[in-house]
Amino acid sequence: MTAPAETRKFEAEVAQVLHLVTHSLYSHKEIFLRELISNASDACDKLRFESIAKPELMAGDSELHIDVSWDPDARTVTIRDNGVGMNRDEVVANIGTIASSGTKRFLEAMSGEQKADARLIGQFGVGFYSAFVVADKVTVITRRADAPASDGVKWESDGKGEYSLEQVEQAERGTSVILHLKTDEDEFLKRWQLRSLITKYSDHVAFPIRMPVEKDGKPTDEWETINAASALWTKPKSEISDEDYQSFYKSLGHDFNDALAWTHNRVEGSQSFTTLLYIPSQPPFDLMMGGRDERKGLKLYIKRVFIMDAAEELLPNYLRFVRGVVDADDLPLNVSREILQQNRQLERIKSACVKRVLDLIEKLAKDEPEKFATFYKAFGNTLKEGISEDANNRERIAKLLRFASTMGDGSAQTVSFDDYIGRMPVGQGTIWFITADSYAAALGSPQLEAFKAKGIEVLLMSDRIDEWMLGSLSEYSGKKLQNVAKGELPLDEADKKKQEESAKEAEPLVKKLKELLGDRVGDVRVSARLTDSPSCLALADYEMAPHLARLLREAGHDMPDNKPTLEINPQHALLKRVEAETDEAKAKDLATLLLEQAEIAAGAQLPDPSAFVQRMNRVLLG
C-alpha cells in the first residue's frame, strides 16, 4: 500500500541550522559539492559492507559509483550514488530531524559571537544542509537496497521550514540529490567548474566519480571518471605528493586547513595492516565541543572494505584528536564493535597506531620546533590525559610535556622535564613545581620565595588538568616530582638550625595565632618557604590544591572540608604587629586576615567574603 504524500515541519534545531548555513556560508558556497559527494561515498561504503552478509543487495549493479550531472535548461545539479539508499523512516531521521547530537553541537559552536564557519559543516554531520547555500529547492529521491522498487521515497524542500514526503516508484537503488539552483549560481552549471571542485575536494574518494562528457556545450549520455578513485593509503609513499596527502586529509577531516603532520606506514608479517594518521593544525570543533564523550576515532577498513567510522578502539582517548584510516588484512570482514573490543589483533594495531603517533610528535619536537609549538598549544592538555590513561607510554608522554618556569621565557610553555634536569645543580634530586589557577598566580605565589632566594628553578603549572595529571606522575627519569607547597622543605644543616631557632623563638606567637584562629586552621607553624610575605598555606602530601578543590566544588562535587595549615614569617612586620597587639578583637582581625590572604594567594574560596571586607575595613581604619 502506497503511503500518502505529506508535508512536515523541520525540527526547530534543523531550521536554525538551515538559516545559519544559507545566510553565513556564501564565502565558501562550493562546500556543498564536497559534502554531498562525501555523503554519497559513505552510502557506497555502507552498501559494500552490508553486501558481505547479503550479496544479493548488489545484484545487477555491482560497480559502485557516484555521478555528478548538470542540466543548464532546468538549472539543476544532480549528485547520484548507487549505494545503500534510505527508506522513509531513514529519510525523516537523517534529514528532517536530529539524527544525532551533531545538529545541537553545531548550534552550540555557533552561539555567541561565533560566525558560521564552513569547517564546522561536515564535522558535525550536517553537511547535507549546505545544499541550500546554492539551491532554493532540493529534491531527494532514494530507495534502500533491500526494498522493492515501489518503496522509493521523494523528499523535497525549499529550506524555509517545511518539507514534503512522498512514496514513489524507483527502479534503481541509491540516492539522487537534485539541486534547483538559485538565479545567481550559474557558475555551478558549467562542467569545468564542477570538475575543478571535484578535483580539489574529492579526488581521493575511493569510488569513481563520473560526469557526462560534454559535446557542443551540452552533456551527453557518455560518462567519464574524473577522480583518482583509489584508496590513497594503498599507494607507495614514493607515488604520493604532499599535496595529495593534504587533499586527502581535507576530504577525510572536513577541514579547510592543512594537516600539521602525518605518518603513513605499512606493516607486513604475521599481521599486515596500513595506517595513515594525521595531526590537525588546530583542534577540530567536534573535539572542543564534544570532548571525551563524542570521539570521532579513525576510519577502519578491512581489505579496503569500509567497516566503520570513528572506530574508537584504534586509539586511546588522549589521542582522540588524530584523524586517519587503518586498513587491516587479517580481521574478519563481518567484524562488529563487540568483536573489536575483544580482538587481540586489534590491540596490536592500536599499539602500533599509538607508537606511530608518539613517534611523529617526538619528531616534531626534535626537528620542527615551530610545528611542535603549534601542536602543543592545540593539543598539549589533551596529551596530558595520557599520563593517567597510558601507563606503558607514561615516560614517553612526559618527555613531550612543556611548562612555564621561573627560569623560562615568561608564560610560554617551553620547558621540558629534560630541560629542567639539565639545569639542576649538583645534589638536587627533586623536580620542583607549583600548580595554580593562572601563570601570574603561580609566579606570584609566596611559596616560591625561598626557592627564588636560593636560585632553585620551579615549574609553573597553571592548566586545570595539571593537578589531576600529577596524581599519576610522581617521578620522571628517576627524579621525584614535588609540589613546593606540600610537605617539609629539605634544608641543609645551617638552614635547619636557623629554622629550629626561629621556630623556638616564635613559639608564643604561634600559640597566640592558634588561639585566635581556633578551628579555622589545622595547624600554625613557622615557614621555611617565606622570605618576604607574612603567610602562606602549606599542604599535606596527598592534599588537593585549594584552587582545584574550589573548581570541583563549583562543579557540584562534594569535597572534604580540610582545615588548612598556616605557615608564617615571624620576621614580617604584620606578625610583629599581631604579637604586640593587646586588643583581642584587633588581634583576631589581623590573624584572620593573615589566613585569608594566604587562602586567596593559594586560590581557595573564602567562606565569607563580606566578613573579609568588613574585617579589612576595620584594620585599614585602625
Side-chain angles (χ1 to χ4, degrees):
M1 181 178 175
T2 301
E6 61 176 311
T7 299
R8 297 188 179 191
K9 287 186 178 296
F10 285 116
E11 282 195 355
E13 288 87 353
V14 174
Q16 286 178 266
V17 169
L18 280 167
H19 179 80
L20 277 168
V21 169
T22 55
H23 289 82
S24 304
L25 292 181
Y26 51 85
S27 61
H28 292 295
K29 55 190 176 182
E30 74 272 10
I31 192 177
F32 81 91
L33 193 57
R34 182 193 77 178
E35 291 305 319
L36 294 177
I37 288 175
S38 178
N39 290 347
S41 175
D42 288 346
C44 292
D45 267 331
K46 289 172 184 175
L47 178 61
R48 188 159 64 174
F49 180 50
E50 287 191 19
S51 69
I52 296 167
K54 299 178 180 178
E56 65 274 12
L57 294 178
M58 301 273 273
D61 190 9
S62 60
E63 297 297 323
L64 295 168
H65 54 82
I66 301 163
D67 294 342
V68 178
S69 58
W70 74 103
D71 185 332
D73 298 327
R75 295 185 53 76
T76 60
V77 172
T78 301
I79 296 89
R80 165 156 181 80
D81 67 75
N82 60 345
V84 71
M86 293 180 283
N87 59 33
R88 187 185 186 94
D89 290 342
E90 288 170 330
V91 169
V92 173
N94 291 332
I95 303 178
T97 63
I98 300 177
S100 68
S101 61
T103 310
K104 284 184 177 177
R105 291 289 186 192
F106 177 84
L107 290 171
E108 288 171 12
M110 294 293 92
S111 63
E113 297 179 358
Q114 173 79 49
K115 296 288 182 68
D117 193 318
R119 289 172 297 175
L120 297 177
I121 294 296
Q123 290 189 6
F124 286 96
V126 293
F128 171 79
Y129 306 126
S130 63
F132 288 99
V133 175
V134 297
D136 51 23
K137 184 172 73 171
V138 177
T139 305
V140 178
I141 300 173
T142 183
R143 175 173 71 80
R144 215 181 189 287
D146 55 5
S150 59
D151 281 358
V153 181
K154 180 180 178 181
W155 178 100
E156 195 165 73
S157 177
D158 60 6
K160 295 178 181 177
E162 294 182 338
Y163 62 92
S164 66
L165 272 176
E166 183 180 354
Q167 187 171 339
V168 296
E169 189 80 16
Q170 176 65 13
E172 300 172 320
R173 67 162 194 264
T175 301
S176 295
V177 180
I178 305 162
L179 311 183
H180 304 264
L181 297 184
K182 296 175 181 177
T183 54
D184 54 349
E185 303 297 347
D186 289 355
E187 62 181 297
F188 299 114
L189 292 172
K190 297 180 173 63
R191 186 181 195 273
W192 67 267
Q193 172 71 338
L194 294 172
R195 177 170 184 154
S196 67
L197 291 175
I198 293 168
T199 302
K200 179 179 179 180
Y201 291 121
S202 307
D203 193 49
H204 296 297
V205 168
F207 299 98
I209 301 174
R210 310 187 311 179
M211 290 187 72
V213 174
E214 192 174 53
K215 190 172 183 180
D216 298 327
K218 297 281 187 180
T220 67
D221 293 334
E222 184 183 349
W223 293 91
E224 175 190 13
T225 298
I226 58 171
N227 68 319
S230 64
L232 180 82
W233 63 88
T234 63
K235 296 180 179 180
K237 287 191 279 188
S238 59
E239 296 179 11
I240 309 174
S241 67
D242 286 358
E243 186 179 351
D244 291 333
Y245 277 120
Q246 293 286 16
S247 175
F248 180 69
Y249 165 74
K250 290 172 183 176
S251 172
L252 180 78
H254 300 278
D255 199 342
F256 273 89
N257 299 299
D258 283 346
L260 185 68
W262 60 86
T263 176
H264 183 192
N265 300 279
R266 173 72 181 167
V267 175
E268 302 280 2
S270 59
Q271 186 174 10
S272 300
F273 57 91
T274 300
T275 60
L276 175 53
L277 309 174
Y278 291 90
I279 296 176
S281 57
Q282 62 184 28
F285 281 90
D286 46 34
L287 176 75
M288 294 193 298
M289 297 304 300
R292 294 171 63 86
D293 295 331
E294 293 198 16
R295 293 164 55 208
K296 287 294 180 182
L298 304 176
K299 288 183 180 287
L300 174 63
Y301 291 78
I302 296 175
K303 298 171 185 172
R304 279 173 276 184
V305 175
F306 174 77
I307 301 299
M308 66 182 68
D309 202 357
E312 297 176 359
E313 297 80 8
L314 294 171
L315 276 177
N317 218 337
Y318 71 93
L319 295 179
R320 61 187 176 274
F321 53 84
V322 175
R323 299 292 184 256
V325 298
V326 172
D327 191 347
D329 292 350
D330 305 315
L331 293 171
L333 279 172
N334 61 347
V335 71
S336 67
R337 286 195 180 274
E338 291 73 25
I339 293 172
L340 277 180
Q341 289 166 2
Q342 301 166 16
N343 190 285
R344 289 185 180 179
Q345 290 172 305
L346 203 81
E347 273 300 313
R348 296 190 195 103
I349 295 174
K350 179 178 179 179
S351 295
C353 288
V354 172
K355 181 181 183 302
R356 295 299 183 190
V357 173
L358 293 180
D359 285 347
L360 181 58
I361 299 171
E362 286 172 354
K363 186 175 184 298
L364 291 180
K366 181 182 177 183
D367 301 332
E368 300 183 80
E370 288 187 7
K371 281 191 175 183
F372 179 77
T374 299
F375 160 79
Y376 197 79
K377 182 178 180 182
F379 305 113
N381 279 352
T382 313
L383 187 67
K384 287 176 183 177
E385 295 173 17
I387 294 293
S388 175
E389 295 177 0
D390 190 354
N392 292 333
N393 289 296
R394 185 171 293 153
E395 192 87 358
R396 288 191 74 182
I397 297 166
K399 192 179 185 69
L400 293 167
L401 302 184
R402 301 291 185 268
F403 307 97
S405 161
T406 53
M407 293 186 182
D409 183 18
S411 62
Q413 296 183 353
T414 58
V415 178
S416 68
F417 286 128
D418 288 333
D419 294 335
Y420 184 100
I421 291 171
R423 292 195 287 261
M424 273 185 177
V426 176
Q428 182 181 333
T430 302
I431 298 173
W432 294 99
F433 68 88
I434 187 169
T435 62
D437 253 345
S438 65
Y439 167 76
L443 184 64
S445 172
Q447 289 142 335
L448 294 183
E449 290 174 0
F451 291 87
K452 291 177 180 177
K454 292 179 179 293
I456 298 173
E457 183 174 11
V458 178
L459 297 176
L460 307 173
M461 302 187 183
S462 55
D463 292 324
R464 290 185 175 183
I465 193 174
D466 289 336
E467 184 84 16
W468 173 82
M469 172 195 73
L470 289 160
S472 301
L473 189 66
S474 58
E475 67 172 49
Y476 173 81
S477 194
K479 308 291 185 184
K480 181 184 176 184
L481 270 69
Q482 176 73 40
N483 191 327
V484 299
K486 292 187 177 183
E488 299 283 351
L489 296 191
L491 303 173
D492 58 30
E493 288 303 316
D495 285 337
K496 191 179 293 184
K497 186 176 180 181
K498 185 179 177 182
Q499 172 73 5
E500 289 171 354
E501 290 173 354
S502 179
K504 187 170 182 60
E505 187 179 331
E507 281 177 358
L509 174 60
V510 169
K511 183 180 178 182
K512 184 176 183 179
L513 285 168
K514 286 181 179 179
E515 291 172 353
L516 290 169
L517 294 170
D519 61 4
R520 283 286 302 270
V521 294
D523 193 14
V524 179
R525 66 188 184 214
V526 174
S527 179
R529 293 175 172 84
L530 300 173
T531 59
D532 301 318
S533 299
S535 61
C536 71
L537 294 188
L539 305 176
D541 285 339
Y542 298 102
E543 189 177 347
M544 186 179 294
H547 72 275
L548 182 60
R550 172 176 55 80
L551 290 171
L552 292 174
R553 199 172 283 115
E554 289 171 354
H557 296 278
D558 290 329
M559 303 301 298
D561 191 15
N562 293 325
K563 292 180 181 179
T565 295
L566 180 67
E567 289 195 347
I568 60 167
N569 175 5
Q571 305 308 314
H572 195 279
L574 281 176
L575 274 300
K576 297 289 188 186
R577 185 174 168 186
V578 174
E579 191 172 25
E581 183 59 68
T582 56
D583 184 314
E584 186 173 345
K586 290 183 178 179
K588 189 175 179 66
D589 276 349
L590 286 167
T592 306
L593 285 173
L594 283 168
L595 172 62
E596 289 175 334
Q597 67 173 255
E599 289 176 326
I600 292 171
Q605 186 171 19
L606 295 181
D608 189 347
S610 63
F612 165 75
V613 172
Q614 292 168 16
R615 198 160 23 249
M616 178 67 75
N617 290 341
R618 287 197 298 270
V619 170
L620 290 173
L621 291 170

